[in-house]
């Protein structure tokens, strides 16, 4: 693979920015494409601080075919694309489904067309374990049946996977991987980049860190009457730096080894933790109390979800290296930095 240029759509976002760092660390030349609809320009300063370089940026909307096409015209020899750019709020997607279908599917289609036109063969897509719905058997493997997810957001991930799979089967030039993330948490250990939730966070760990920092009064635990050991929901929380590294491994695999035009991989630790376990672990690691109350169940939450990530280990040579303690400590360090 001669060219090292990798287009990273949504590269200013939470997982995108950590992936840009890992691409850089592995000798690639990441090029960010982002419209900052759910991120801030300050992340570019953080990326410069970590990498010592100005990472190239194209600012605009990925669902605009002309904009995306022009990027490939300028950057002639792109080696591959990692596609993160998408709206990602489950709750918002239920209120505004068209916004989600139009943006998430529109950007993917525009990207695939531009890749075809400019003969860019390799794509890594950011998908989610939400495609498994409430799986009957745990842990979920890549052979666990995919269902129609409860939320329009989740459904855009399922449909996107189908679009990519069909496109890769039909157009032999395209080789693609969908990575099904479980629950990414944490921040870069430098505390220079991390998650920047705009408005009230809907995810557990940012809500915990903001509560402890005093920006929120209290965390609501969404239900303690599930059929789990402590009654709260169980998820597979993995460090965002581990997750970012998997994208580099996936690209390497696409370039060198993958025979099938399309494949999917689960990315998780293989272990589940309940909401109460996360609260307890956070209190232990950070040495501060989390003020919480128990509330009603949140619509659409599945009781238990954790990964079997053996396939990623076997084929991508990837497994998580950082612990839950690392992730919670890094989340808190990042929260302290942005609270200043
Ligand atoms: N939770 C709370 N209180 C909160 C926030 C979350 O108790 O304020 C609980 C949830 O009920 C759930 C757990 O913490 O049991 C994790 O919730 P998150 O919102 O952090 O994560 P989810 O597992 O719900 O969501 C993740 C991704 C979504 C994806 C979904 C698929 O963030 O993008 O998995 O299941 F759609």
């Amino acid at each position: 693979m001669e060219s090292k240029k990798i287009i990273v759509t949504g590269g200013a976002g939470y997982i995108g920015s950590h992936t840009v760092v890992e691409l850089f660390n592995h000798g690639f030349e990441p090029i960010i494409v982002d419209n900052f609809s759910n991120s801030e320009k300050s992340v570019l300063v953080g990326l410069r601080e970590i990498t010592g370089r100005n990472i190239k940026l194209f600012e605009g909307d990925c669902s605009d075919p002309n904009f995306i096409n022009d990027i490939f015209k300028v950057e002639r020899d792109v080696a591959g694309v990692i596609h993160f750019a998408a709206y990602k709020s489950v709750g918002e997607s239920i209120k505004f489904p068209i916004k989600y279908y139009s943006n998430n599917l529109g950007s993917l289609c525009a990207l695939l067309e531009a890749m075809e036109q400019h003969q860019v063969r390799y794509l890594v897509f950011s998908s989610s374990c939400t495609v498994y719905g409430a799986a009957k058997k745990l842990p979920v493997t890549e052979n666990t049946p995919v269902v129609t997810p409860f939320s329009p957001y989740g459904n855009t991930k399922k449909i996107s996977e189908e679009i990519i799979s069909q496109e890769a089967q039909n157009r032999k030039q395209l080789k693609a991987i969908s990575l099904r993330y479980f629950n990414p948490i944490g921040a870069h250990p430098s505390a220079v980049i991390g998650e920047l939730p705009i408005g009230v966070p809907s995810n557990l760990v940012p809500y915990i860190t903001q509560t402890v920092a005093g920006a929120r009064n209290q965390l609501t635990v969404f239900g303690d009457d599930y059929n789990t050991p402590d009654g709260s929901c169980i998820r597979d929380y993995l460090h965002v730096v581990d997750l970012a590294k998997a994208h580099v491994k996936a690209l390497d695999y696409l370039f060198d080894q993958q025979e099938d035009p399309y494949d999917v991989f689960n990315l998780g630790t293989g272990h589940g933790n309940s909401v109460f376990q996360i609260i307890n672990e956070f209190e232990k690691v950070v040495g501060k109390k989390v003020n919480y109350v128990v509330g009603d169940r949140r619509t659409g939450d599945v009781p238990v979800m954790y990964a079997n990530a053996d396939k990623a280990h076997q084929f991508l040579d990837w497994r998580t290296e950082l612990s839950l303690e690392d992730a919670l400590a890094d989340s808190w360090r990042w929260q302290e930095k942005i609270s200043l």
Side-chain angles (χ1 to χ4, degrees):
M1 185 56 45
E2 299 249 310
S3 165
K4 291 287 189 184
K5 285 183 188 172
I6 306 295
I7 299 268
V8 187
T9 75
Y14 174 45
I15 306 171
S17 58
H18 290 81
T19 301
V20 164
V21 170
E22 294 308 320
L23 286 167
F24 178 84
N25 288 344
H26 288 80
F28 287 103
E29 185 192 335
I31 298 170
I32 297 176
V33 179
D34 210 298
N35 64 355
F36 299 95
S37 66
N38 195 23
S39 54
E40 285 181 17
K41 293 231 166 105
S42 59
V43 74
L44 302 173
V45 180
L47 289 173
R48 187 167 59 225
E49 201 175 320
I50 296 172
T51 64
R53 300 277 171 86
N54 284 321
I55 304 292
K56 198 181 265 184
L57 164 75
F58 288 86
E59 184 174 352
D61 187 341
C62 286
S63 59
D64 173 353
N66 292 328
F67 165 70
I68 203 85
N69 209 34
D70 284 349
I71 296 171
F72 289 91
K73 275 191 202 153
V74 175
E75 300 295 337
R76 298 197 150 271
D77 52 347
V78 171
V81 178
I82 306 180
H83 183 44
F84 293 105
Y87 293 148
K88 62 170 188 179
S89 160
V90 172
E92 187 191 41
S93 79
I94 293 164
K95 277 197 204 135
F96 306 108
I98 298 300
K99 177 176 172 182
Y100 274 67
Y101 288 114
S102 150
N103 182 66
N104 292 7
L105 303 181
S107 61
L108 174 66
C109 293
L111 181 65
L112 286 170
E113 275 174 1
M115 287 174 70
E116 179 172 27
Q117 195 159 332
H118 297 276
Q119 286 147 29
V120 177
R121 296 194 57 197
Y122 303 104
L123 174 69
V124 176
F125 176 65
S126 160
S127 191
S128 163
C129 66
T130 190
V131 299
Y132 297 118
K136 291 198 181 74
K137 218 173 128 208
L138 290 154
V140 293
T141 72
E142 291 79 358
N143 294 325
T144 298
V146 164
V147 299
T148 298
F150 153 81
S151 71
Y153 155 77
N155 207 22
T156 67
K157 292 296 177 192
K158 173 176 178 269
I159 298 169
S160 294
E161 286 196 9
E162 288 164 359
I163 293 171
I164 297 167
S165 165
Q166 287 166 12
E167 190 66 9
Q169 309 293 342
N170 293 335
R171 178 181 3 139
K172 288 291 174 237
Q173 280 304 307
L174 180 67
K175 287 212 306 187
I177 283 177
S178 288
L179 298 176
R180 293 175 177 163
Y181 311 153
F182 284 66
N183 288 59
I185 59 167
H188 196 266
S190 63
V192 168
I193 57 170
E195 191 170 10
L196 275 172
I198 292 175
V200 182
S202 55
N203 293 118
L204 177 64
V205 172
Y207 210 106
I208 290 178
T209 59
Q210 289 196 8
T211 303
V212 174
R216 312 270 155 220
N217 286 338
Q218 61 187 14
L219 168 78
T220 302
V221 174
F222 295 140
D224 67 351
D225 57 352
Y226 286 96
N227 186 18
T228 58
D230 66 20
S232 66
C233 291
I234 292 175
R235 295 287 182 274
D236 186 336
Y237 297 91
L238 74 162
H239 198 298
V240 67
V241 170
D242 277 331
L243 182 61
K245 287 179 177 167
H247 294 74
V248 181
K249 299 258 186 185
L251 272 181
D252 280 339
Y253 184 67
L254 272 178
F255 293 153
D256 296 337
Q257 292 165 56
Q258 183 168 306
E259 284 171 15
D260 293 334
Y262 177 71
D263 212 344
V264 299
F265 295 93
N266 286 344
L267 298 179
T269 64
H271 305 287
N273 281 102
S274 73
V275 176
F276 289 125
Q277 283 175 325
I278 295 293
I279 294 172
N280 290 339
E281 197 60 35
F282 185 90
E283 290 182 338
K284 208 167 87 195
V285 170
V286 169
K288 291 178 190 287
K289 279 267 160 230
V290 179
N291 185 24
Y292 72 84
V293 289
V294 174
D296 292 341
R297 292 181 177 195
R298 182 171 68 177
T299 313
D301 273 344
V302 299
V304 184
M305 177 56 76
Y306 59 98
N308 175 320
D310 290 351
K311 187 177 169 191
H313 186 223
Q314 188 183 344
F315 292 95
L316 305 183
D317 186 32
W318 176 88
R319 58 158 56 141
T320 56
E321 288 165 351
L322 297 164
S323 65
L324 181 62
E325 292 86 334
D326 295 327
L328 294 173
D330 290 339
S331 290
W332 177 243
R333 204 172 308 123
W334 169 244
Q335 179 66 55
E336 281 188 302
K337 158 117 189 268
I338 56 177
S339 310
L340 287 176

